[in-house]
Amino acid sequence: MLSPKIKALLGQLLFAANVFILFLVIAENRVMIPDWLHVFGRLHPLLLHFPIVLLMIAVVLLALPGLLKTREDSKDYGTNLLLLGAITAAFTVIAGLLLSHETGYDQNALLWHKWTGLTVFWLSSLLYYFIEKSTQKVVQFSAGMVAVVVVVSGHLGASITHGDDFITAPFMSNNMVNVSLEEAEVFQHVIMPILKNKCISCHKASKQKGELRMDSPEYLLEGGESGPAVIPFDPEGSLMIEKIHLPLEDEEHMPPEGKPQLSEEEMAILYAWIEAGAEFEKKVMALSDTTGIYELAVNKFKSAPKIYDFKDADAQTLEKLNNFYRKIQPLGLESPALSASYFGRASFKSESIQELQEISQQLVSLNLNNMPVKDVDLEYLEPFENLEKLFLNFADINGEGLQYLVGLENLTYLSISGNPLDEKAIDHLANMKQLRHLFIWNTGLDQNVLDQLKQDLPNVEIETGYKDDGTVFTLNPPVIKFDKAFFSQKMELKIEHAIQGTSIFYTLDGTEPDSSNHLLYEGPIEIEENLTLKARAFAEGWAGSPTETAEFIRSEISPKDYEMKFNPEDRYKGDGPKSLFDGYKAIPDVWNLNWLGFQNNPLDVEMEFEKPTEINHLALSIWHNVRASFFPPEEVEIWVQKEGQDWSLAKKFRPDPPKKEDEAHLRQMDIPFTASGIEKMRIVANPVNSLPAWHGGAGRKGWLMVDELVLN
């Protein structure tokens, strides 16, 4: 039992908490919250359990007074617990309001959780203040309402953090249970379970930490505010791999410390999956058995291993057959079955297939992808009676040689994509009734012919892919590295690309670099004037990369005094107005302290100059990233005050609206303006008030991210 003095003090604390919370609710977009309070905000998930327990016990005692010896005991204990529950709810609500300022949450879901949480606090406070003046029925009804709102608010909070189906998930059927190895898909049944267990709770529709969603393939490739999470064939360049391999104590490590971490096996699976091209639709059995992801994925399924009745191959024979262009390996530790793979097109000789006849009984998988195999060479495969999987993608086969495969009764998997097949190939393939999987895309065959083949082989899963249109993989754009995008005299920059051997073409006049219009990057570039640098990467066998652009502006004028009429949002407050003129360049990272972010109020800065000044050039240095809702300003107003004159509107400027396909980049947004004799200047840049219909956050306010104001 609480003493009367303690209850009085706690009652006053509860009243003060009500006043403070009311202030936060009314003025949350008008005050700048210090960093240490944001740390308190992140305690919200820890604090919320205390009021839930205290309030639920309190409402039970108040609603069911017969639980204790006397009704007075129930009321006294219930009232004391109600007071403690309301106070702990106050701290939880304050932390939640501070936490809501951080980005990455679905605003609609957050709004409902916010107001139901406030209702819990205010309803429990009112019940405490008026409990002595209320009838038993009113107390019971009010206690029941508190319990209901606690449950609703808790469910909404859990949905934001863990997903909409967090409570009901155990009752839902799991579509990954009982999936056979034969039907298992790489992404759906190997990769997605890892992401669901370790990543998606913080990266889904209702909670997008770092503006990143990981609940579907397109979002993984699109990425968040720091770039794509997955870059096929480039695990080192994929942010997902980078983050999971950071030290646990690093604040950028994912998942965050305190949450379930990925196992070594899970990290290996994700790395191998991206290294092999980050396939989203392939089945596990369609993977080459020489890739790391194949072995790791197969081990995830507890299918009974196939038992072969033939003997092991001679160890000395295997040693002799293994060389720098051919690798022979067993399919399992205790299995006599073997797989063979070839490497290096220039080293291939057709006679080397004939050499494999020494292990013709044991060979069940043969990978001849990208080898110059001719139709006549396939005759060497006739003795391989136990061959089950044959990879012949991008060889030199026309189709006549497929007749030698018809008699291989155990051949169930055949991949001959990328070969210039003729209609003879269809005649032989139609006789391969033993097949179960056939990959025949990009072969130049007419669609009608392929449709007929599907009719001839009704029990075969045939993948015809898309008609070859000459499309090849596209390189990622190069990276332009520099210290400052604005400079007073001169500066140096570098251009890099993750893939070695890539040629980088660039221009310094804003034109598109191509084979007939470019400078070849060979080392650091020194610049001394305003320019727009555009760079593209090229490599043999790849399509040229998209253009990477960076603008460099010479900044010469700095005001004597300046102030901002509105503070930036707490999340991106930089160094206040100093950030506009400090010369430091922000980087495309939301944690960089040089960014000033505006969403609910405009950037409104007033400047005073040492003497009447002529200005011929004006630019805002901004972060353009439509995926993260970082847009150029909707409209810019320029006001000036000249000697002996009042303020006058000198310019209104509306930049071209961004497009959905715009790449994220830092840019200098030029504002056409020139004037002389300026003593004071005021610039008002309004953030986008309503994101366009094509945007994922359509209708919501956009962000204006600024790090510098350039005057010349």
Side-chain angles (χ1 to χ4, degrees):
M1 296 289 290
L2 298 174
S3 67
K5 186 175 181 180
I6 296 296
K7 286 185 67 174
L9 288 173
L10 293 177
Q12 293 175 0
L13 178 61
L14 181 61
F15 178 78
N18 270 276
V19 174
F20 183 63
I21 288 174
L22 189 61
F23 166 74
L24 284 180
V25 171
I26 295 174
E28 62 178 335
N29 291 326
R30 298 178 178 84
V31 294
M32 183 176 291
I33 299 171
D35 291 335
W36 66 271
L37 272 182
H38 282 292
V39 175
F40 177 72
R42 296 194 176 192
L43 295 177
H44 176 74
L46 174 65
L47 297 172
L48 61 86
H49 298 92
F50 294 97
I52 291 175
V53 173
L54 294 174
L55 289 175
M56 294 303 285
I57 296 175
V59 298
V60 169
L61 293 176
L62 294 173
L64 304 172
L67 289 178
L68 299 183
K69 289 183 178 180
T70 65
R71 299 174 69 90
E72 289 73 17
D73 284 344
S74 290
K75 185 174 182 179
D76 287 343
Y77 281 108
T79 303
N80 289 333
L81 289 172
L82 180 65
L83 174 58
L84 294 174
I87 290 175
T88 54
F91 288 108
T92 303
V93 166
I94 292 171
L97 290 172
L98 298 177
L99 185 62
S100 69
H101 282 261
E102 297 196 14
T103 59
Y105 296 99
D106 179 81
Q107 294 302 308
N108 187 53
L110 188 64
L111 187 67
W112 281 101
H113 179 54
K114 167 185 170 181
W115 286 106
T116 52
L118 286 167
T119 301
V120 169
F121 170 64
W122 284 329
L123 193 58
S124 58
S125 297
L126 289 173
L127 178 58
Y128 173 75
Y129 285 130
F130 294 100
I131 195 168
E132 297 296 337
K133 300 177 182 179
S134 303
T135 64
Q136 181 61 34
K137 288 186 177 180
V138 171
V139 171
Q140 289 176 317
F141 175 78
S142 301
M145 288 298 296
V146 170
V148 169
V149 182
V150 166
V151 172
V152 171
S153 182
H155 171 68
L156 293 172
S159 297
I160 292 174
T161 304
H162 303 290
D164 295 334
D165 60 348
F166 177 63
I167 294 177
T168 59
F171 302 101
M172 305 298 287
S173 62
N174 188 337
N175 60 5
M176 288 184 288
V177 175
N178 296 326
V179 174
S180 68
L181 176 59
E182 192 74 17
E183 295 299 321
E185 296 179 7
V186 182
F187 180 73
Q188 185 65 30
H189 301 116
V190 180
I191 303 302
M192 198 59 180
I194 299 174
L195 301 183
K196 280 186 175 181
N197 291 333
K198 305 295 174 68
C199 306
I200 289 179
S201 64
C202 289
H203 300 285
K204 57 183 184 295
S206 61
K207 185 181 182 182
Q208 300 176 33
K209 287 287 188 179
E211 300 295 334
L212 171 64
R213 286 180 62 175
M214 302 180 72
D215 50 355
S216 68
E218 60 267 26
Y219 294 121
L220 286 170
L221 295 171
E222 181 179 300
E225 57 196 16
S226 298
V230 170
I231 302 176
F233 303 104
D234 185 12
E236 284 81 8
S238 300
L239 286 177
M240 179 171 70
I241 300 300
E242 176 188 334
K243 301 296 185 184
I244 65 177
H245 283 92
L246 288 173
L248 183 61
E249 62 273 11
D250 193 308
E251 63 178 13
E252 294 293 317
H253 172 84
M254 292 296 159
E257 188 174 8
K259 291 202 171 187
Q261 299 297 306
L262 278 77
S263 66
E264 291 293 332
E265 181 191 32
E266 289 171 331
M267 289 192 288
I269 287 174
L270 294 178
Y271 187 97
W273 172 63
I274 296 175
E275 186 178 40
E279 293 285 354
F280 289 101
E281 297 182 358
K282 253 187 181 179
K283 290 186 176 181
V284 172
M285 294 305 292
L287 297 169
S288 170
D289 53 19
T290 61
T291 60
I293 184 59
Y294 175 84
E295 182 178 354
L296 290 165
V298 167
N299 290 338
K300 299 295 292 182
F301 297 90
K302 297 181 179 179
S303 301
K306 185 174 180 178
I307 299 175
Y308 297 94
D309 57 6
F310 46 76
K311 297 180 180 180
D312 291 332
D314 180 70
Q316 291 183 343
T317 300
L318 292 181
E319 185 178 357
K320 179 183 66 175
L321 291 174
N322 271 298
N323 51 44
F324 71 94
Y325 62 84
R326 182 176 56 202
K327 182 177 182 181
I328 315 294
Q329 59 187 16
L331 289 185
L333 293 177
E334 303 297 329
S335 176
L338 301 173
S339 71
S341 301
Y342 280 75
F343 308 93
R345 189 179 182 95
S347 302
F348 177 80
K349 293 181 179 179
S350 58
E351 294 80 5
S352 66
I353 301 178
Q354 189 175 17
E355 294 172 0
L356 295 176
Q357 292 184 4
E358 294 188 63
I359 55 170
S360 61
Q361 294 297 306
Q362 292 83 15
L363 194 66
V364 299
S365 177
L366 177 59
N367 189 332
L368 289 163
N369 285 340
N370 296 299
M371 296 297 112
V373 180
K374 307 292 184 183
D375 286 83
V376 67
D377 299 330
L378 298 184
E379 186 175 2
Y380 293 129
L381 298 179
E382 275 192 304
F384 292 76
E385 59 186 50
N386 292 317
L387 189 64
E388 298 173 359
K389 298 175 70 174
L390 177 59
F391 298 86
L392 288 166
N393 298 320
F394 299 96
D396 292 335
I397 296 169
N398 297 121
E400 182 65 31
L402 295 177
Q403 61 179 306
Y404 304 114
L405 307 181
V406 175
L408 300 179
E409 297 181 356
N410 290 304
L411 184 64
T412 58
Y413 184 105
L414 176 61
S415 186
I416 51 175
S417 300
N419 288 285
L421 300 181
D422 53 32
E423 293 194 12
K424 291 181 180 178
I426 296 298
D427 295 337
H428 298 309
L429 289 171
N431 292 322
M432 294 187 189
K433 309 298 183 182
Q434 78 275 27
L435 290 178
R436 291 295 173 263
H437 303 277
L438 174 62
F439 292 80
I440 193 171
W441 50 267
N442 194 18
T443 56
L445 293 173
D446 185 83
Q447 188 61 46
N448 294 329
V449 174
L450 294 173
D451 292 339
Q452 182 60 47
L453 180 63
K454 290 182 178 180
Q455 293 181 21
D456 294 336
L457 299 174
N459 297 321
V460 181
E461 182 180 336
I462 302 177
E463 293 286 348
T464 59
Y466 300 95
K467 184 177 180 181
D468 181 19
D469 58 2
T471 301
V472 294
F473 290 111
T474 301
L475 286 168
N476 295 322
V479 177
I480 303 173
K481 292 192 172 183
F482 52 89
D483 294 326
K484 297 180 180 179
F486 24 83
F487 57 96
S488 58
Q489 298 298 324
K490 60 183 178 181
M491 65 169 293
E492 185 178 86
L493 60 88
K494 297 179 180 179
I495 313 176
E496 298 179 355
H497 198 276
I499 299 177
Q500 293 184 356
T502 300
S503 297
I504 299 176
F505 294 174
Y506 70 95
T507 62
L508 299 174
D509 57 3
T511 58
E512 291 295 321
D514 55 34
S515 59
S516 61
N517 177 45
H518 71 272
L519 299 169
L520 178 63
Y521 180 76
E522 296 178 326
I525 304 169
E526 187 176 274
I527 60 176
E528 299 180 354
E529 58 184 358
N530 294 0
L531 57 84
T532 298
L533 183 145
K534 292 191 174 184
R536 295 181 65 193
F538 294 88
E540 184 177 355
W542 296 75
S545 77
T547 302
E548 183 73 2
T549 303
E551 296 183 61
F552 300 95
I553 306 294
R554 190 164 180 161
S555 181
E556 299 171 339
I557 301 174
S558 182
K560 176 186 70 174
D561 196 15
Y562 45 84
E563 65 175 348
M564 287 194 302
K565 293 189 177 294
F566 299 100
N567 290 323
E569 304 296 332
D570 293 330
R571 180 68 180 80
Y572 310 106
K573 60 186 179 181
D575 196 17
K578 292 181 181 178
S579 292
L580 292 172
F581 304 101
D582 61 4
Y584 292 115
K585 182 61 187 173
I587 61 175
D589 185 337
V590 293
W591 298 106
N592 189 267
L593 299 179
N594 291 311
W595 287 114
L596 300 177
F598 300 88
Q599 187 180 45
N600 296 299
N601 295 305
L603 164 64
D604 189 342
V605 57
E606 183 178 320
M607 298 161 281
E608 182 178 357
F609 300 99
E610 191 78 39
K611 59 183 180 179
T613 301
E614 179 179 356
I615 296 178
N616 297 311
H617 176 255
L618 174 63
L620 281 178
S621 178
I622 65 172
W623 185 356
H624 184 124
N625 187 348
V626 294
R627 297 188 186 98
S629 303
F630 298 166
F631 276 53
E634 193 165 54
E635 183 180 71
V636 179
E637 294 182 355
I638 302 176
W639 296 75
V640 298
Q641 188 179 67
K642 299 184 178 181
E643 186 175 4
Q645 298 180 11
D646 294 331
W647 284 102
S648 62
L649 179 61
K651 180 78 176 181
K652 268 191 177 184
F653 174 68
R654 295 182 70 90
D656 293 334
K659 299 177 182 178
K660 183 178 182 179
E661 61 271 17
D662 285 353
E663 294 292 330
H665 62 285
L666 306 183
R667 58 176 283 204
Q668 300 290 320
M669 190 192 77
D670 290 333
I671 303 172
F673 175 76
T674 180
S676 59
I678 300 173
E679 291 188 339
K680 292 184 178 181
M681 172 184 282
R682 180 185 173 199
I683 296 177
V684 183
N686 295 289
V688 172
N689 188 55
S690 179
L691 294 173
W694 52 259
H695 195 276
R700 294 188 297 196
K701 294 180 179 180
W703 284 88
L704 171 60
M705 303 292 287
V706 183
D707 72 335
E708 197 80 7
L709 178 58
V710 179
L711 302 171
N712 283 293

